[in-house]
């Protein structure tokens, strides 16, 4: 006589264990990347560029509730005071502590002169309500005229530049580490030649290089360069920065690319989730920006699938040197985007 096998429904114990595993996977989703100096940074963070006052405080709170432990800020975004309010509120709730968070900010171009650098980070720390930063980046290699105007222009609307050398600025940033004002320092929007020159002079090597990266601008040569020097890379504008102020009607839109849509449908994910996963699967840290709670949560929910090498290659075929973010006068001696990379 043949015995029958009874397939039973999952028990409550099994379901509870499964739910705990899912929760652990979600909380482990922001698996940290180890920087060259031994500190760690969560692989996904909340970008705050163009997150307006009146919106960004709640966005940061929502992000922390969703599991984010990495917030990317900058003085020039003009919203660090509100971000500081959000951090203070979350710390006071007791569900997250300062040491759980990784907070990045950036030195703006009007503060490159060495005697202004320490004052600039102290303003950022006061605005954020913090005693130290986890990472402080030189936002751009170009220096602008010092003063209260963050984008100084002359009567003709032309940017007024400063001749401060970014190497001198970097040497002063190194003292910020020694004074405990930031744990790590790095740069953003440099090119290879500028990085070479900086590395030759640096006593403290950049721990991070933050650059624009998305399928229209893959930056593989620059990423490979950073890997040879054990410098981590953060990808900004991973979704194509659709709300950039200078966008024109008819500009290419990553969220509408048929190749990416097809891959998203295959995984049952949104195009934005595939774009974020694309950066992660290339070994990058990524900082998608949103102030909408549902999108903040969705952008973090990218750790239950992984792209294949074929997917990555297919998405990478959209490369067209499509840089979306530039800054300032292209005649500035330290303008970074004349070179190939």
């Amino acid at each position: 006589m043949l015995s029958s096998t009874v397939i039973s429904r999952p028990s409550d114990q099994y379901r509870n264990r499964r739910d705990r595993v899912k929760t652990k996977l979600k909380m482990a989703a922001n698996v940290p990347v180890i920087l060259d100096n031994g500190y760690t940074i969560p692989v996904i963070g909340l970008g705050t560029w163009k997150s307006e006052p009146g919106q960004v405080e709640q966005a940061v709170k929502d992000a922390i509730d969703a599991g984010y432990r990495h917030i990317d800020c900058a003085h020039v975004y003009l919203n660090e005071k509100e971000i500081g309010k959000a951090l203070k509120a979350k710390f006071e709730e007791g569900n997250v502590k300062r040491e759980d968070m990784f907070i990045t900010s950036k030195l703006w171009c009007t503060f490159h002169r060495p005697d202004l650098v320490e004052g600039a980070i102290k303003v950022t720390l006061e605005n954020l309500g913090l005693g130290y930063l986890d990472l402080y980046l030189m936002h751009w290699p170009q220096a602008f005229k010092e003063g209260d105007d963050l984008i100084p222009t002359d009567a003709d609307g032309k940017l007024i530049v400063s001749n401060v050398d970014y190497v001198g600025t970097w040497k002063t940033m190194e003292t910020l580490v020694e004074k405990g004002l930031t744990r790590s320092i790095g740069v953003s929007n440099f090119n290879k030649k500028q990085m070479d020159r900086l590395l030759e002079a640096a006593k403290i090597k950049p721990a991070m290089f933050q650059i624009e990266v998305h399928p229209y601008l893959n930056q593989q040569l620059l990423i490979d360069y950073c890997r040879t020097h054990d410098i981590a890379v953060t990808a900004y504008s991973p979704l194509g920065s659709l709300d950039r102020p200078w966008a024109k009607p008819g500009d290419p839109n990553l969220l509408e690319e048929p190749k990416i849509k097809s891959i998203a449908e295959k995984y049952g994910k949104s195009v934005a989730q595939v774009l974020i996963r694309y950066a992660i699967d290339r070994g990058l840290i990524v900082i998608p920006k949103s102030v909408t709670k549902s999108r903040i949560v969705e952008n973090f929910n990218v750790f239950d699938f992984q792209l294949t090498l074929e997917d990555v290659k297919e998405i990478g075929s959209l490369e067209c040197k499509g840089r979306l973010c530039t800054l300032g006068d292209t005649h500035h001696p330290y303008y970074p985007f004349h070179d190939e990379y």
Side-chain angles (χ1 to χ4, degrees), residues 127-195:
N127 287 340
L128 291 171
L130 302 176
Y132 67 92
L133 293 175
D134 295 278
L135 176 64
Y136 198 45
L137 303 174
M138 197 186 312
H139 208 151
W140 293 83
Q142 307 105 298
F144 299 163
K145 179 186 176 183
E146 298 77 18
D148 294 333
D149 191 351
L150 297 179
I151 307 290
T153 55
D154 61 19
D156 297 322
K158 185 177 180 180
L159 186 67
I160 305 174
V161 302
S162 170
N163 62 0
V164 174
D165 188 330
Y166 59 82
V167 170
T169 306
W170 181 259
K171 288 183 178 296
T172 307
M173 288 179 66
E174 292 176 330
T175 69
L176 305 180
V177 179
E178 295 163 357
K179 293 179 179 181
L181 297 173
T182 183
R183 288 180 166 180
S184 303
I185 51 177
V187 297
S188 181
N189 299 302
F190 278 47
N191 63 34
K192 177 187 177 297
K193 286 182 181 177
Q194 291 167 336
M195 289 293 287

Side-chain angles (χ1 to χ4, degrees), residues 10-35:
S11 66
D12 288 342
Q13 183 179 7
Y14 170 81
R15 283 195 296 269
N16 291 339
R17 185 169 69 250
R18 178 194 61 195
D19 291 342
R20 287 197 301 272
V21 169
K22 284 184 177 180
T23 300
K24 287 180 180 179
L25 285 172
K26 181 178 179 181
M27 296 310 296
N30 227 352
V31 174
V33 171
I34 301 174
L35 302 177

Side-chain angles (χ1 to χ4, degrees), residues 308-326:
T308 66
L309 291 176
E310 291 76 16
D311 294 331
V312 172
K313 184 177 180 180
E314 180 75 0
I315 296 170
S317 70
L318 295 170
E319 165 68 50
C320 58
K321 299 187 184 300
R323 188 180 299 281
L324 303 172
C325 300
T326 60

